[in-house]
Amino acid sequence: MNILIIGNGGREHAFAWKIRQSPDCDKLFVAPGNAGTASVATNVAIAVDDFKELGSFCIDQKIDLVVVGPEVPLVKGIRDYFEADKALSGILMVGPGKVGAQLEGSKDFSKQFMLRHNVPTAGAKTFFSSQSEEAQQYVNTIQPPIVLKADGLAAGKGVVIAQSVAEAKVAIREMLEEKKFGDASGKVLIEEFLNGIELSVFILTDGNDYVILPEAKDYKRIGDGDTGPNTGGMGSISPVPFASPSFMKKVEERVIKPTVDGLKKEGINYNGFIFIGLMNVGGEPYVIEYNARMGDPETQSVMMRIKGDFLELLTACAKAELKGKSLVTDPSFVSTVVMAAGGYPDHYQKGEIISGLENTDTAQVFHAGTKINDGKIITDGGRVLAVTGKGKTISEAMLNSYNSVKKISWEGAQYRKDIGKDLLDL
Ligand code: AMP
Ligand code: GLY
């Protein structure tokens, strides 16, 4: 099969690395890709939302399967574009259509969906841009911390956890009146605060059946001990000790089944990944958010734990033939440590030369913001590399990833030193 992966992050490098191992993989392309994907696939310089160019490329290269990595092309309707074009509609695709992608593209849509289908989630009220005054009044009646969420896509920055009513009011003004996140904050959800420990759960569904992928824990804050601003994710661990079989059974019964059934009942023909961001509150799962894609840097850990042919599973999903399919997982622990550019998640430099990559024999290095310049690998984004190690225990996996992390350097490189540490005593 000829395959095109869309995206340029660590997630897409991990997909490409795994798909390349399949005997069914012939030509493999990544658009636009990075220096890491170039080592297992051919990079194609087409933007993730340039559907016209992506479509022509698929026809030229006789692509059989498209795997969509990030949310932007999904929310913009890449599936709908392909389905509407006679020459493209026969190409298999993993990734939901525009309506299904609203599970991620609109927090109001996903909240109402959860409420309609009795999926446990935090209580919330939605306010429109004309209702700033009402929103200000409303926060007077609730106890902090107060969770405020911009409705639309805001590159992971649309959530504010206000520690006081005054702070909440400032954030409401910024979002609803000053449109801090543009149209994304045309609506704001004010949500109940859930106190617990977070978990990322992933399924691959063809709209009727689903396969549950290995779960992971993400480390969102930039600093050790979960301090400092939120990022796209600074590390991940899989499996997660508190995701016990009894907890995961609750997740499947109360969250996964009603979600897949709900989509079906509403006539939303969903094909692709659903990433369920959960809070474990005293042993009970609550959904924080849905994403219409896999997580990054969770995918890097998840791909390392999938045994067997992932391409076969993706193809079965895209053909709506997931029934009876299952996944064999490696019981090992996996730890992914993200190395980021100095200054990230604020302003950061690009173009630093990365050295030491050849000495990383204890881990698999997935690239994110990298590119090749004059034969050298240089930084080209905020999150630069994801270094993934495996072991029989969490501490062995951590040791393997950190031993490789220590060999890699560039000017200003930063990483968290505590990925997995909180899980050691669980
Ligand atoms: P989201 O963009 O919805 O994933 O939210 C970003 C982060 O904010 C989540 O990963 C949580 O750490 C936190 N968060 C979101 N909603 C809540 C909530 N209702 N209660 C507590 N924390 C939350
Ligand atoms: N790591 C969280 C995300 O991909 O959204």
Side-chain angles (χ1 to χ4, degrees):
M1 294 178 80
N2 297 333
I3 301 128
L4 171 65
I5 299 171
I6 296 178
N8 65 348
R11 167 184 48 215
E12 288 75 21
H13 186 187
F15 278 154
W17 171 82
K18 187 68 190 165
I19 288 171
R20 173 50 83 200
Q21 295 167 20
S22 166
D24 292 334
C25 176
D26 296 318
K27 287 193 208 161
L28 179 62
F29 299 96
V30 186
N34 57 41
T37 58
S39 66
V40 283
T42 306
N43 287 348
V44 193
I46 305 177
V48 300
D49 59 353
D50 189 344
F51 300 162
K52 193 163 172 279
E53 282 298 315
L54 291 169
S56 310
F57 179 82
C58 286
I59 292 167
D60 287 350
Q61 295 294 330
K62 300 191 169 47
I63 295 294
D64 301 294
L65 173 71
V66 177
V67 180
V68 187
E71 63 278 17
V72 168
L74 294 169
V75 171
K76 286 190 172 176
I78 189 167
R79 172 179 282 273
D80 311 66
Y81 180 92
F82 272 57
E83 280 177 354
D85 186 324
K86 260 205 187 100
L88 300 173
S89 60
I91 298 172
L92 296 170
M93 184 179 283
V94 175
K98 204 170 179 167
V99 178
Q102 287 297 298
L103 281 187
E104 173 163 7
S106 165
K107 303 236 185 233
D108 184 38
F109 176 91
S110 67
K111 183 65 71 179
Q112 303 311 326
F113 177 88
M114 287 183 243
L115 295 174
R116 280 197 295 280
H117 300 289
N118 292 318
V119 174
T121 184
K125 267 178 99 76
T126 302
F127 295 89
F128 291 82
S129 54
S130 58
Q131 295 176 306
S132 181
E133 191 56 38
E134 285 95 323
Q136 309 267 350
Q137 295 290 341
Y138 177 68
V139 292
N140 284 328
T141 68
I142 52 176
Q143 286 295 322
I146 299 168
V147 182
L148 304 157
K149 296 187 174 179
D151 176 57
L153 292 184
K157 298 197 175 82
V159 176
V160 173
I161 312 232
Q163 297 302 331
S164 68
V165 171
E167 199 187 320
K169 289 186 173 179
V170 171
I172 289 170
R173 210 170 303 127
E174 285 177 349
M175 288 192 192
L176 284 180
E177 294 176 29
E178 294 156 23
K179 294 271 169 71
K180 185 172 180 184
F181 302 111
D183 286 345
S185 57
K187 276 193 233 174
V188 166
L189 274 73
I190 302 183
E191 187 166 299
E192 185 190 347
F193 179 78
L194 297 170
N195 197 0
I197 178 159
E198 281 182 69
L199 176 69
S200 304
V201 170
F202 307 98
I203 65 165
L204 182 65
T205 179
D206 62 7
N208 281 307
D209 297 284
Y210 59 84
V211 171
I212 303 177
L213 306 177
E215 79 287 349
K217 183 174 190 289
D218 180 21
Y219 293 76
K220 287 199 161 69
R221 304 292 196 95
I222 187 74
D224 285 7
D226 289 333
T227 52
N230 259 331
T231 69
M234 293 300 290
S236 66
I237 297 284
S238 180
V240 181
F242 64 81
S244 61
S246 67
F247 181 77
M248 290 307 288
K249 193 160 175 10
K250 287 182 192 173
V251 173
E252 183 165 12
E253 293 303 322
R254 297 181 199 170
V255 177
I256 296 175
K257 283 187 183 164
T259 298
V260 174
D261 287 348
L263 288 164
K264 210 176 349 178
K265 273 190 205 139
E266 297 195 12
I268 300 171
N269 191 8
Y270 197 104
N271 190 304
F273 296 100
I274 306 179
F275 162 175
I276 305 164
L278 287 173
M279 192 73 90
N280 175 342
V281 183
E284 307 301 322
Y286 287 83
V287 177
I288 296 177
E289 61 165 354
Y290 292 116
N291 293 301
R293 54 174 173 84
M294 283 295 287
D296 187 341
E298 290 98 325
T299 304
Q300 294 84 321
S301 292
V302 169
M303 289 301 124
M304 284 282 270
R305 292 197 52 225
I306 292 180
K307 282 187 168 171
D309 194 337
F310 189 56
L311 176 58
E312 190 190 325
L313 196 71
L314 291 172
T315 309
C317 178
K319 287 183 173 168
E321 292 173 0
L322 266 188
K323 197 176 184 64
K325 297 280 177 201
S326 59
L327 196 69
V328 182
T329 52
D330 179 341
S332 303
F333 283 89
V334 173
S335 136
T336 295
V337 177
V338 169
M339 298 183 74
Y344 174 81
D346 297 323
H347 180 75
Y348 55 82
Q349 294 289 329
K350 290 183 183 177
E352 303 292 350
I353 295 171
I354 304 172
S355 61
L357 283 168
E358 63 286 359
N359 301 322
T360 53
D361 50 359
T362 60
Q364 173 67 42
V365 179
F366 295 112
H367 291 226
T370 67
K371 70 175 184 185
I372 300 170
N373 191 23
D374 273 348
K376 293 197 173 71
I377 297 180
I378 61 170
T379 67
D380 192 40
R383 292 190 294 170
V384 176
L385 300 171
V387 182
T388 303
K390 207 189 243 194
K392 284 191 219 56
T393 59
I394 292 184
S395 40
E396 195 178 299
M398 287 168 71
L399 202 66
N400 283 332
S401 28
Y402 280 113
N403 277 342
S404 284
V405 165
K406 285 177 199 148
K407 305 272 174 57
I408 304 170
S409 61
W410 69 86
E411 185 68 36
Q414 56 163 336
Y415 59 90
R416 275 182 63 161
K417 316 281 187 300
D418 66 341
I419 302 302
K421 207 170 158 202
D422 58 322
L423 300 176
L424 287 175
D425 307 323
L426 291 181

